[in-house]
Amino acid sequence: MAKKVKIEHIDLLLQTLATATGQSRDHYGFGIMSERVGGTITKKYLYESLQKQMEKAAKQEVMVLSLMPNKLDEIAKYMGYGDFDKMIEHLESPIDPTLLSCTGTYYSYVRRSIPTGAVYQSPVQITQESGKIMFILKGPDRSYRGELTLSKGCLFCLMQSEDGKSFYHVYRIAGVTSPKVLQGVFSGILTGQEPIAGRTVLIRKEEKFEEMKNEEIPVDELEKSGDKEKQYLAIYFKEFSKNNLQINKSITYRIDDLSLEQH
């Protein structure tokens, strides 16, 4: 079924395609573009059904054209978008440069939620998908993903796994682009339905995400390492009370629960 499409959005689609393929918007250029996109997208469709029809509509002061959405989606998907509507939404509301500069691979570090001194290392990938910046964390048993957003100098992400487990991360960035190290906090729920929170660190790496590994590293091992980065991690995560937060036991769910010893 055809949909009404603004001619300005058709123009934006064709210009984005021309830029992506390095071609000019003429008969020859549209031929190259159609070869690159492939599928059902022909030179005739790009040149006559889109370019010429758009120009004709503009002269007649017609603001919309009726077009088949599947073909528009096909072009948008070639350029890495989920569909035509998502592409237009992204191009009209571009990703903040600070957010975009965070894309890459990192190791995430958090301290274990018990007094024993150990740090969890987890691979993280921050990537652009369909006009959004996504945060992907690979744990030893499950993976988490969520959209990374920016507000008031901080990065926010609600990460969720396929089985419903979730963690919330917030990192201070303050407008810095391409950060090497980010400090933040996390909150979530333990397996026993207990809320937990603590500090977390992201350190940018040049490794491939697929080759990065999960590790549980004792703090004293980090301290003894000759690697300056690991020594700094040991200093940061050494004290349990500075890195981990848990609530008191909730037994009666009355005020006297506040006097109970922590886990």
Side-chain angles (χ1 to χ4, degrees):
M1 182 177 177
K3 66 183 291 185
K4 300 290 186 181
V5 181
K6 294 180 180 179
I7 61 172
E8 63 189 81
H9 289 168
I10 300 170
D11 186 46
L12 188 55
L13 173 71
L14 293 176
Q15 187 53 50
T16 305
L17 179 60
T19 301
T21 57
Q23 300 300 314
S24 56
R25 288 168 61 173
D26 53 28
H27 199 263
Y28 175 79
F30 283 123
I32 301 298
M33 291 183 219
S34 67
E35 291 177 3
R36 299 279 179 82
V37 178
T40 66
I41 304 304
T42 63
K43 176 173 66 175
K44 182 178 180 180
Y45 174 76
L46 294 174
Y47 187 65
E48 296 183 11
S49 299
L50 296 185
Q51 181 71 32
K52 289 301 181 181
Q53 287 299 316
M54 179 191 67
E55 292 173 357
K56 181 180 177 181
K59 288 178 181 178
Q60 297 174 348
E61 297 186 348
V62 174
M63 305 310 294
V64 297
L65 290 176
S66 293
L67 297 168
M68 297 304 295
N70 59 313
K71 286 185 175 289
L72 300 176
D73 291 344
E74 198 171 344
I75 299 170
K77 286 176 181 177
Y78 166 76
M79 293 183 288
Y81 299 94
D83 55 37
F84 174 72
D85 290 339
K86 287 186 174 65
M87 189 200 81
I88 295 302
E89 180 184 356
H90 168 62
L91 293 177
E92 291 191 328
S93 303
I95 297 172
D96 187 287
T98 300
L99 262 181
L100 198 57
S101 76
C102 293
T103 56
T105 55
Y106 299 77
Y107 269 125
S108 165
Y109 295 94
V110 298
R111 199 184 193 282
R112 285 189 65 185
S113 296
I114 57 175
T116 304
V119 174
Y120 288 131
Q121 171 186 285
S122 303
V124 166
Q125 182 179 42
I126 299 177
T127 184
Q128 182 179 351
E129 295 180 9
S130 299
K132 297 180 180 180
I133 299 298
M134 302 301 294
F135 187 105
I136 303 165
L137 184 146
K138 182 172 64 177
D141 302 316
R142 55 175 64 84
S143 291
Y144 301 83
R145 63 185 287 120
E147 183 181 359
L148 191 67
T149 60
L150 175 67
S151 178
K152 299 185 183 301
C154 288
L155 301 172
F156 296 81
C157 183
L158 174 61
M159 300 185 301
Q160 296 179 300
S161 65
E162 289 186 354
D163 61 0
K165 194 169 184 179
S166 62
F167 284 93
Y168 200 78
H169 281 218
V170 182
Y171 295 93
R172 172 72 170 162
I173 192 167
V176 173
T177 56
S178 302
K180 301 297 183 185
V181 178
L182 288 169
Q183 296 182 56
V185 294
F186 74 91
S187 61
I189 303 173
L190 287 170
T191 304
Q193 299 182 337
E194 291 289 338
I196 58 167
R199 299 198 297 187
T200 179
V201 171
L202 282 181
I203 299 181
R204 188 185 287 269
K205 297 295 177 181
E206 298 301 322
E207 303 171 41
K208 292 182 179 180
F209 181 65
E210 296 76 16
E211 298 175 0
M212 299 171 74
K213 298 178 179 179
N214 295 90
E215 284 192 59
E216 181 181 333
I217 313 170
V219 172
D220 58 1
E221 185 178 311
L222 293 171
E223 287 179 313
K224 296 173 184 176
S225 172
D227 187 326
K228 202 70 176 177
E229 180 180 289
K230 292 182 178 180
Q231 292 173 4
Y232 278 121
L233 286 170
I235 293 170
Y236 191 80
F237 287 112
K238 186 174 181 65
E239 294 186 41
F240 177 81
S241 60
K242 288 184 176 180
N243 289 280
N244 301 82
L245 179 65
Q246 292 179 311
I247 64 171
N248 281 6
K249 293 179 180 179
S250 297
I251 297 177
T252 65
Y253 288 86
R254 295 193 298 265
I255 192 64
D256 51 332
D257 282 348
L258 303 183
S259 66
L260 300 174
E261 291 186 5
Q262 286 187 303
H263 293 258

